[in-house]
Amino acid sequence: MSSRTHDQHAGDDHPDGAIHMPGKDFFGRPKPPPTNRDPGTDLLPGEVLPGEVDEVGRPSRNLFAGLTPTRKPRTQQPPDEPGAPPTRPLWASGETGARPTGVHKEPPHPAPGRRYVASADGMDPADDELLRETQRLLSTSLTYAGGPDEVAERFRQALLQAHPALVAVLPGGEADQDELLARAITWLVHHLDQPPVLVDGCARLGAALDASGVRPDEFRMVGAALVEAIRAGMPPGTWRQDFDVAWRSTWQHVYEWIRHGEIAHATEAGIWDAVVVEHDLRRHDLAVVKFRPLLPMPYEPGQYARIEVPELPGIWRPYSLAGAPRRNDILELHVRAKTQSGVSGTLVYRLREGDLVRFGRAEGTMTLPPPPGRDLLMIAGDTGVAPLKALLIELVDTGDPRSAVLFWGVRNLDELYDVDDLTDIARSGRRITVVPVVSEGNPGPYASGLVMDAVAAYGEWSRHEVYLAGPPIMLAATKAALSQLGVDPSRIHHDAPE
């Protein structure tokens, strides 16, 4: 298991030593009912777009803030009224403008004589007809605009122009951000007819945005940006006022639910649901598991987070994060199983791709100081290499000029489960060196003996920042040895054992 758990939790398999966090039972929130919706389309079952023959969402000359359609030209319908596109987005300044021209259709109204009773979430959950009609309008307009992927690309570009700080909190590069936004748009449309699920999801998004440091005024105009990103991809004359009303009214509700979640986050523990996307059993008792949070989870390389698995609700165990937030939104854990049961045993032996777990917010201060600064010495024992791997990737991704030497102490060659990844990182970095040290048996091409003997023989470290990760006994022995080598204790960084 990781540096946060190796030989640190004698109670891993018993609730007595558990760390409990407040909240509901594991995934104790309303679940969406079964649906016959085809996952390959954004239309509802049996829905046919007016006049559609093969595909919809043809390119549009209606440019928004310099955004261009990404599809090849096709024969287009002439617009109802000629007109030039706006030179700058009205939504970015909060101004109001004229409604778009095109076919006008009245938005849905309640049946005559029907009494509406407002619910806590601001919608009338009893009005299934209105919800389905709004959902149909969103789905139809989204398909005409090219689908979630194309809309998400224009959406990100629009946000980047108006609120670059908001885009900056999304993990990964442009492709990862587009994928994240496309999933969010699809989720919104598919769950519009399930108000409890929608409210809960938006509240969780608000908590995630608050944890990422996003201010309310930075996402107030997001809905208008989304509307324009959809309209910009539609053929001339296809955009209708009922599309506009459906999207803007939906966003008004979504914004309020997000704000409620942001306010609640100040007094509640942050929790992120995450799905297993890769489970790699590197040895009989050790796995590298990768997760994708359903909402952006902020963290810095070198930090750790607590995890809860479905088998053991209410029991949280800390694991270091070996992911690379600048590259993607994947959380990577290195887990050694102490027994067949417990959190570690579940993560190694029974977790499968597609399973859901929950993460608490990122913790720990073992992060890199900003450059320029001292060169870096890193010493890992066993799966303690996980957080140090994250620090090395951060050096590579930021082009950091500081040198870094990582010593990885293991008992035998079989325990070098991640040496190939570390070697690739070292090759791609400016001044990164990885030194595996094998204490027992044939060391192969690597150094043999105790890791601190190799550290002492390698060079002089009194002017370095030092990062340690591993079992508690290893941490204590390594700190004592570094003191004898003249390293100032204030320059030694590691998380407190639990």
Side-chain angles (χ1 to χ4, degrees), residues 293-345:
L294 303 186
L295 293 170
M297 177 177 166
Y299 73 96
E300 295 185 52
Q303 290 189 302
Y304 65 93
R306 304 179 192 278
I307 185 173
E308 181 193 50
V309 296
E311 289 187 13
L312 299 168
I315 300 177
W316 297 78
R317 296 289 181 232
Y319 285 89
S320 296
L321 303 172
R326 294 182 186 272
R327 297 185 179 185
N328 51 47
D329 58 346
I330 301 299
L331 306 177
E332 178 180 320
L333 303 188
H334 297 189
V335 187
R336 180 196 290 276
K338 297 196 321 184
T339 67
Q340 291 285 332
S341 60
V343 175
S344 64

Side-chain angles (χ1 to χ4, degrees), residues 40-400:
T41 178
D42 293 301
L43 297 179
L44 300 180
E47 182 179 357
V48 179
L49 294 177
E52 181 179 5
V53 178
D54 48 3
E55 68 169 333
V56 296
R58 294 176 292 278
S60 171
R61 293 191 298 270
N62 182 14
L63 306 182
F64 165 62
L67 306 182
T68 56
T70 56
R71 297 174 300 284
K72 295 180 181 180
R74 295 181 53 190
T75 304
Q76 301 177 355
Q77 301 175 355
D80 290 348
E81 297 180 16
T87 57
R88 65 186 299 270
L90 295 176
W91 61 266
S93 61
E95 301 173 8
T96 57
R99 294 292 184 185
T101 59
V103 180
H104 175 76
K105 178 180 178 181
E106 288 295 327
H109 296 285
R114 179 169 184 174
R115 181 183 179 186
Y116 269 62
V117 180
S119 64
D121 57 25
M123 297 181 66
D124 178 10
D127 195 347
D128 295 336
E129 181 180 354
L130 178 60
L131 289 174
R132 286 196 298 269
E133 172 65 9
T134 303
Q135 187 180 50
R136 187 191 67 79
L137 290 170
L138 301 188
S139 178
T140 302
S141 60
L142 188 62
T143 305
Y144 267 122
D149 292 337
E150 293 188 11
V151 169
E153 183 179 354
R154 293 191 295 269
F155 186 28
R156 178 185 53 79
Q157 292 173 357
L159 291 176
L160 194 60
Q161 294 177 22
H163 300 295
L166 183 57
V167 179
V169 306
L170 300 178
E174 293 181 358
D176 299 288
Q177 294 171 348
D178 289 345
E179 181 183 357
L180 183 63
L181 292 172
R183 293 203 309 266
I185 295 169
T186 302
W187 183 90
L188 172 63
V189 174
H190 282 181
H191 291 86
L192 192 69
D193 59 346
Q194 303 167 42
V197 177
L198 193 64
V199 173
D200 182 70
C202 291
R204 290 172 179 266
L205 175 58
L209 291 172
D210 183 67
S212 301
V214 177
R215 301 189 309 271
D217 61 320
E218 290 179 318
F219 63 89
R220 178 180 293 276
M221 305 306 296
V222 165
L226 177 58
V227 170
E228 295 295 352
I230 295 170
R231 186 171 64 168
M234 293 182 118
T238 308
W239 182 254
R240 309 194 311 242
Q241 186 165 350
D242 55 351
F243 290 158
D244 186 271
V245 171
W247 279 105
R248 293 181 188 274
S249 61
T250 298
W251 171 250
Q252 290 176 0
H253 292 295
V254 167
Y255 175 76
E256 291 301 323
W257 297 329
I258 290 175
R259 287 286 292 117
H260 292 162
E262 183 186 45
I263 294 172
H265 177 259
T267 57
E268 298 179 358
I271 295 177
W272 283 259
D273 294 341
V275 62
V276 179
V277 295
E278 183 177 327
H279 189 282
D280 187 3
L281 192 66
R282 300 284 177 91
R283 293 204 318 265
H284 73 280
D285 64 341
L286 189 146
V288 173
V289 191
K290 297 181 179 180
F291 306 83
R292 174 177 286 116
L294 303 186
L295 293 170
M297 177 177 166
Y299 73 96
E300 295 185 52
Q303 290 189 302
Y304 65 93
R306 304 179 192 278
I307 185 173
E308 181 193 50
V309 296
E311 289 187 13
L312 299 168
I315 300 177
W316 297 78
R317 296 289 181 232
Y319 285 89
S320 296
L321 303 172
R326 294 182 186 272
R327 297 185 179 185
N328 51 47
D329 58 346
I330 301 299
L331 306 177
E332 178 180 320
L333 303 188
H334 297 189
V335 187
R336 180 196 290 276
K338 297 196 321 184
T339 67
Q340 291 285 332
S341 60
V343 175
S344 64
T346 300
L347 290 171
V348 172
Y349 299 121
R350 291 179 292 283
L351 213 60
R352 296 292 181 265
E353 292 185 18
D355 288 348
L356 285 173
V357 302
R358 298 205 296 179
F359 282 88
R361 68 181 66 192
E363 304 176 58
T365 58
M366 199 176 69
T367 57
L368 291 175
R374 296 171 177 250
D375 290 335
L376 309 171
L377 166 64
M378 303 180 184
I379 305 174
D382 195 50
T383 54
V385 76
L388 304 186
K389 175 183 180 180
L391 294 181
L392 292 182
I393 296 176
E394 180 73 358
L395 293 175
V396 173
D397 289 350
T398 58
D400 198 303

